[in-house]
Amino acid sequence: MSDPSLIASDFFSLLARHHVSPLRAAVSPDAPVQTQATTVFAFHFADGVLMGGDRRATAGNIIVTDRVDKVLELDATSLLAIAGVPATAFEMARVLETSFEYYRRSQLQSLSLPAKVRALARLLRENLPMTMQGVGVVMPLFAGVDLTVSPPEPQIYFYDPLGAQFHAVGYAASGSGATTIRSLLSFQDRYGRPRPTQMNLQQAVQFALRLLMTASEFDSATGGVNPEAHTFATIKVLRSSGVEDITADRQAELLKS
Amino acid sequence: MTEEPYRWLEAIGNRREYVREQLKGGSPVFAAPSPEGILLLGVGTGHSKVFELFDRHSLAGLGHPADIEKIRQAAIDAAHLEAFNRAPEDVSLRRLVAFGLSPQLKTNFEQIFSAPFLVELLLAEVAVEPGQDLIARLHFDGAFQLHGKGVVVAASQPEAELAAQTWLNQSLGPAGKAERSEVVEILLQGWWCLTENKPFDAGLPSEAERRDGWRKAANGRNVEVGWLARKGSRRARYEELTLAQLGL
């Protein structure tokens, strides 16, 4: 790609100028067993977009932790859900978070949704050498608010590991449990009463938790949800007005009621 | 010229005079700490005077818009690089001013063949506890003072600035007022007195005159209020407030 230092008010360019770009490291042929983070999903419901994920990270057959937050708030109108290698994914999230805020503060306006979507695609493309070698593969989901329509609408995007971006009309899922979750979302979207887009917050949260419970029955890398052990998911809701974090206590309360 | 020390001193003196002359008539800016956060205020005629810098940091300034812009951009670049390379918690106003902006301004001021920065600035950092807030008063020549409490004013004339600051601190009390609208009301009274060259001693206009005065003077101008909240669910604590939001 061309010299990134040519792009004005772009945080990646600022990083490159100071030689601190974090995602351009050389790859060792003797890569260790990678830690993987799965499973994440997003769907439209009546209030906006719900983005959720289990909290498990694995390395081979080892459970590294059951306390990972895979749904991250990048700014007041953007969410990122990470599936894949956390080392790369968290770094991408950090770059994007700083980049969006840097642009907003320096230019006194927010970055547009298409520009945010492309910024993530650009990071995935820059990660191509790692992806091609089978290490550092990331397949994220992105949700942002489209401010060019009235009223503003939250949108969902998903990516392939090479950086291709796709607009998800109703829902998207990524990670090892994604097959189960996509099947359930597809079923509910076609035959469900209510359909995901008709669900209120309580119904959407209950549905999200049950998606993870089901996915964890078929995929050992998906952490699942265990109300008895107070183990819940990471769930954030994106509305046109901003982001709301649905805490574990709130999830417990919504699941019971 | 630089080979002759006395001519260099003369040139620096002339430069100082030139900058002060250029800044005359600049609309003063204010930073007022309170139990809930720090409020910054400026009144402009089109160009912004109050800005967000980083999560817990903001800037207010008077002077040439292009010069304020250069300083603002330098501060934003430095803060974001520091946050990215270390952590957002490592961005500190003291380091930003003392090791970043102040040396740059001093160097520029002493390079007598280049144009000086026409700026007078306030930078604020809100902390977890009210007693740890920091406000920096940064001058065009790189000199700066750090204030741990009380209202800080940046105006073009040092004597008037000090008089206004003393009066505002007496009016708002040592801990600052909790009600933001009350703080803004008093700051705007101070702004009016400063811009109208009213004395802050026994000849200070009555409260009714001051209230009426700022409303008339601010009519058709842009009153900018920036608020750095001490607590919040998001990392970015800066928010722009309107007079309507404050009930003024």
Side-chain angles (χ1 to χ4, degrees):
Chain A
M1 72 188 270
S2 58
D3 182 2
S5 63
L6 295 174
I7 304 171
S9 302
D10 176 56
F11 189 66
F12 302 139
S13 308
L14 187 67
L15 290 178
R17 226 164 43 231
H18 288 266
H19 308 288
V20 289
S21 206
L23 299 168
R24 295 177 182 220
V27 180
S28 160
D30 306 316
V33 177
Q34 297 166 69
T35 303
Q36 298 277 349
T38 57
T39 299
V40 292
F41 57 90
F43 61 84
H44 286 274
F45 74 111
D47 288 2
V49 163
L50 182 147
M51 195 172 249
D54 74 316
R55 303 193 63 187
R56 178 166 290 178
T58 57
N61 62 334
I62 305 293
I63 296 170
V64 177
T65 174
D66 266 330
R67 287 287 177 271
V68 182
D69 285 329
K70 301 173 195 174
V71 182
L72 308 166
E73 182 181 337
L74 298 178
D75 66 8
T77 57
S78 314
L79 290 174
L80 179 75
I82 56 168
V85 175
T88 315
F90 282 128
E91 199 62 8
M92 284 181 180
R94 208 163 71 85
V95 172
L96 289 176
E97 187 181 354
T98 317
S99 171
F100 294 173
E101 291 291 56
Y102 175 74
Y103 183 89
R104 184 179 65 78
R105 286 170 180 142
S106 64
Q107 301 304 299
L108 304 174
Q109 66 176 52
S110 289
L111 206 58
S112 69
L113 179 60
K116 288 178 180 175
V117 170
R118 279 186 211 126
L120 178 51
R122 182 175 159 191
L123 288 180
L124 289 166
R125 278 198 302 278
E126 286 185 0
N127 192 43
L128 193 58
M130 303 279 273
T131 304
M132 296 305 283
Q133 292 186 53
V135 290
V137 180
V138 179
M139 287 197 292
L141 303 177
F142 180 84
V145 179
D146 185 356
L147 299 167
T148 61
V149 295
S150 183
E153 280 177 13
Q155 303 290 344
I156 303 168
Y157 293 85
F158 60 100
Y159 295 80
D160 76 3
L162 306 187
Q165 68 213 30
F166 303 95
H167 182 217
V169 177
Y171 56 84
S174 187
S176 63
T179 315
T180 308
I181 285 187
R182 282 181 67 195
S183 305
L184 291 169
L185 277 163
S186 174
F187 179 87
Q188 189 74 22
D189 197 38
R190 190 171 296 180
Y191 308 108
R193 295 287 180 272
R195 293 188 171 150
T197 51
Q198 299 164 330
M199 291 177 177
N200 61 27
L201 179 67
Q202 184 188 343
Q203 290 167 325
V205 170
Q206 282 180 350
F207 180 53
L209 293 172
R210 287 169 186 157
L211 285 176
L212 281 173
M213 286 178 194
T214 313
S216 67
E217 287 175 22
F218 298 97
D219 173 36
S220 62
T222 299
V225 171
N226 183 357
E228 283 76 34
H230 202 68
T231 304
F232 288 93
T234 306
I235 295 180
K236 290 188 197 296
V237 166
L238 180 65
R239 299 183 179 91
S240 50
S241 55
V243 175
E244 184 189 358
D245 183 28
I246 311 294
T247 61
D249 289 340
R250 185 88 199 282
Q251 290 174 44
E253 187 187 308
L254 290 170
L255 194 62
K256 262 188 236 162
S257 51
Chain B
M1 185 192 276
T2 48
E3 286 81 20
E4 301 173 56
Y6 77 93
R7 290 192 67 182
W8 186 82
L9 287 174
E10 191 184 347
I12 287 289
N14 290 342
R15 204 169 163 82
R16 197 175 293 281
E17 226 171 84
Y18 165 75
V19 175
R20 291 241 162 91
E21 188 59 33
Q22 291 294 307
L23 288 172
K24 225 182 236 175
S27 177
V29 291
F30 307 83
S34 71
E36 304 297 320
I38 301 177
L39 195 141
L40 291 101
L41 183 137
V43 184
T45 50
H47 297 288
S48 284
K49 298 176 82 70
V50 182
F51 304 94
E52 177 182 15
L53 288 182
F54 193 65
D55 293 352
R56 296 173 293 110
H57 302 85
S58 62
L59 172 148
L62 65 116
H64 196 289
D67 289 337
I68 294 176
E69 184 52 32
K70 279 184 200 159
I71 304 290
R72 185 182 78 89
Q73 198 60 53
I76 288 176
D77 283 4
H80 285 75
L81 273 172
E82 175 72 0
F84 188 79
N85 288 326
R86 294 197 171 92
E89 291 77 8
D90 290 302
V91 178
S92 84
L93 185 66
R94 186 183 59 79
R95 291 170 60 235
L96 198 63
V97 170
F99 310 142
L101 300 178
S102 168
Q104 280 181 44
L105 279 168
K106 184 176 186 297
T107 304
N108 176 271
F109 181 69
E110 289 174 349
Q111 283 173 350
I112 54 177
F113 295 112
S114 66
F117 278 107
L118 305 175
V119 288
E120 288 290 352
L121 302 163
L122 290 176
L123 295 100
E125 175 183 83
V126 71
V128 180
E129 296 296 332
Q132 295 163 349
D133 288 344
L134 201 59
I135 298 171
R137 172 72 177 91
L138 181 59
H139 301 268
F140 60 85
D141 59 358
F144 68 90
Q145 298 86 39
L146 297 173
H147 300 260
K149 58 183 177 184
V151 179
V152 185
V153 181
S156 56
Q157 303 304 313
E159 302 79 21
E161 176 182 305
L162 184 64
Q165 196 164 294
T166 307
W167 178 76
L168 285 167
N169 277 311
Q170 282 165 359
S171 303
L172 289 168
K177 293 207 186 291
E179 195 58 54
R180 292 185 299 193
S181 57
E182 223 177 313
V183 177
V184 171
E185 169 68 46
I186 292 170
L187 292 182
L188 282 166
Q189 289 178 22
W191 168 79
W192 177 70
C193 291
L194 268 173
T195 51
E196 295 292 321
N197 292 319
K198 305 285 184 197
F200 285 92
D201 51 22
L204 181 76
S206 69
E207 190 178 344
E209 278 178 282
R210 297 195 307 262
R211 282 179 183 273
D212 190 47
W214 79 254
R215 281 191 167 77
K216 280 186 183 147
N219 191 20
R221 296 194 186 196
N222 185 22
V223 178
E224 286 179 89
V225 181
W227 173 246
L228 280 171
R230 196 172 307 288
K231 294 197 171 91
S233 57
R234 297 199 63 239
R235 270 231 294 265
R237 299 288 172 77
Y238 183 84
E239 184 190 354
E240 282 173 16
L241 302 174
T242 61
L243 289 185
Q245 268 176 294
L246 294 162
L248 290 170

